[in-house]
């Protein structure tokens, strides 16, 4: 043995919300809300705990929200975010992911990575000596779903307490607002739905998902969702009829029908998702709750939701996008700055 590498304790990664307890997920949300209050409203932070630290932002696919959220979050904490796109580095052309992971993690304090196959983020985490945060894989999108929990909390808080010009969502714990809600998913059985399934039932939110015949979630994801639901008292159900999923929903959620990497299937998918566009009429026919709200991770294309819903007062999409910043800030602060949650 001639090498001189020393053994290091494994860092805590953020690969999917399935790896965290309900209390941990709600703690991330709570801390994200605190960040929003201190940064956006009080503007009173002086501590910059990432001074001298850097974070690699290793993205093999396009991104607006996740990239901007990450770079601004790291800057807010006083660190340096280094964007490494697929055109910039040796990965995939001259170097393997395994070697890249060992090399990059030896120089930075954390890695935010957007990958193709989920196995890539798992390999990255396995080889990395610093925390790896999943910025989207074909299976999961955990930072998105933390932002969604935060957005639902804010929406319910304001629904219960009335909307004022003051931000008051931090005065209530998300434990009190999220339990007992029903979310309807109308769309593809994709990474966003899968992350919803492993997060929402755990915190007591029921999920009813409608996807066209043949579009189904992974067996392990469904098993986790059902086991979580059993423990929390929530329900999980699947149908091919959007109206059925929407019945009594507090929130209707969708996403693109053509995820990044599926562009070749676009024509087929547009045909097979006929009848899945979220509209006021669909919500009415399905019997959503009178004050139902709409969510979408973005970017949005008009086929999955019409303008009337997307730009209506029911739509939470822009606060949801902003909350990507506060939740990513909470994850980086917990895992990269504080060493775990
Ligand atoms: N929702 C989301 O992840 O958006 P971006 O692809 O723009 O990061
Ligand atoms: N399902 C989409 C989400 C983008 C944020 C995709 O994977 O492209």
């Amino acid at each position: 043995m001639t090498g001189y590498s020393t053994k290091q304790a494994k860092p805590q990664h953020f690969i999917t919300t399935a790896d965290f307890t309900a209390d941990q997920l709600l703690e991330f949300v709570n801390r994200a809300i605190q960040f929003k209050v201190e940064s956006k409203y009080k503007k009173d932070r002086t501590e910059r705990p990432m001074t001298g630290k850097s974070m690699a932002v290793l993205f093999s696919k396009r991104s607006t929200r996740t990239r901007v959220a990450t770079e601004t979050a790291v800057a807010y904490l006083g660190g340096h975010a280094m964007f490494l796109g697929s055109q910039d580095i040796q990965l995939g052309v001259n170097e393997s992911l395994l070697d890249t992971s060992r090399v990059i993690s030896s120089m930075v304090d954390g890695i935010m990575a957007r990958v193709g196959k989920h196995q890539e983020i798992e390999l990255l985490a396995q080889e990395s000596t610093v925390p790896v945060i999943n910025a989207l894989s074909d299976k999961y999108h955990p930072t998105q779903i933390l932002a969604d929990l935060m957005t639902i909390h804010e929406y319910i808080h304001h629904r219960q307490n009335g909307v004022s010009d003051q931000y008051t969502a931090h005065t209530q714990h998300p434990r009190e607002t999220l339990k007992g809600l029903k979310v309807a998913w109308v769309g593809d059985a994709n990474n966003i739905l899968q992350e919803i399934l492993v997060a929402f039932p755990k915190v007591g939110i029921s999920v009813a998902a409608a996807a066209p015949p043949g579009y189904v979630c992974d067996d392990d994801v469904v098993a986790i969702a059902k086991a979580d639901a059993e423990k929390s008292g929530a329900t999980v159900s699947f149908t091919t009829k959007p109206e059925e999923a929407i019945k009594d929903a507090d929130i209707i959620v969708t996403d693109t029908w053509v995820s990044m990497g599926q562009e070749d299937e676009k024509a087929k998918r547009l045909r097979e998702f006929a009848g899945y566009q979220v509209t006021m009429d669909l919500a009415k026919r399905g019997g959503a709750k009178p004050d139902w709200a709409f969510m979408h991770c973005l970017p949005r294309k008009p086929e999955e939701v019409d303008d009337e819903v997307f730009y209506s007062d029911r739509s939470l999409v822009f606060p949801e996008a902003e909350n990507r910043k506060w939740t990513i800030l909470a994850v980086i602060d917990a895992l990269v700055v504080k060493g775990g949650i």
Side-chain angles (χ1 to χ4, degrees), residues 62-66 114 141 144 260 297-299 324:
R62 286 182 181 281
S63 168
T64 298
R65 281 142 287 272
T66 316
R114 174 163 283 198
H141 196 6
Q144 176 68 52
M260 287 181 277
C297 65
L298 310 183
R324 300 296 311 287

Side-chain angles (χ1 to χ4, degrees), residues 61 66 114 136-138 141 144 190-192 255-256 258-261 297-299 324:
K61 289 179 175 176
T66 316
R114 174 163 283 198
L136 181 103
S137 70
D138 65 352
H141 196 6
Q144 176 68 52
N190 65 8
N191 41 11
I192 303 292
D255 180 21
T256 182
V258 187
S259 283
M260 287 181 277
C297 65
L298 310 183
R324 300 296 311 287

Side-chain angles (χ1 to χ4, degrees), residues 14-15 54-60 63 65-71 73-74 81-85 104 108-115 121 124 128 130-136 141-144 324-325 327-329 331-332 335-336:
F14 193 73
I15 304 303
S54 19
M55 182 116 187
V57 185
L58 182 65
F59 278 27
S60 70
S63 168
R65 281 142 287 272
T66 316
R67 178 177 175 179
V68 174
T70 303
E71 294 199 21
V74 173
M82 194 190 317
F83 187 76
L84 305 170
I104 293 179
V108 300
D109 301 281
I111 300 175
M112 184 85 170
R114 174 163 283 198
V115 299
I121 196 85
L124 198 54
S128 172
V130 297
V132 171
I133 301 169
N134 181 3
L136 181 103
H141 196 6
T143 61
Q144 176 68 52
R324 300 296 311 287
K325 172 166 176 168
T327 41
I328 283 177
L329 195 39
V331 173
I332 293 175
L335 304 191
V336 179

Side-chain angles (χ1 to χ4, degrees), residues 310-330:
F310 189 78
Y311 293 110
S312 71
D313 288 347
R314 296 181 182 279
S315 177
L316 307 179
V317 299
F318 295 111
E320 180 184 3
E322 179 193 324
N323 287 340
R324 300 296 311 287
K325 172 166 176 168
W326 312 120
T327 41
I328 283 177
L329 195 39

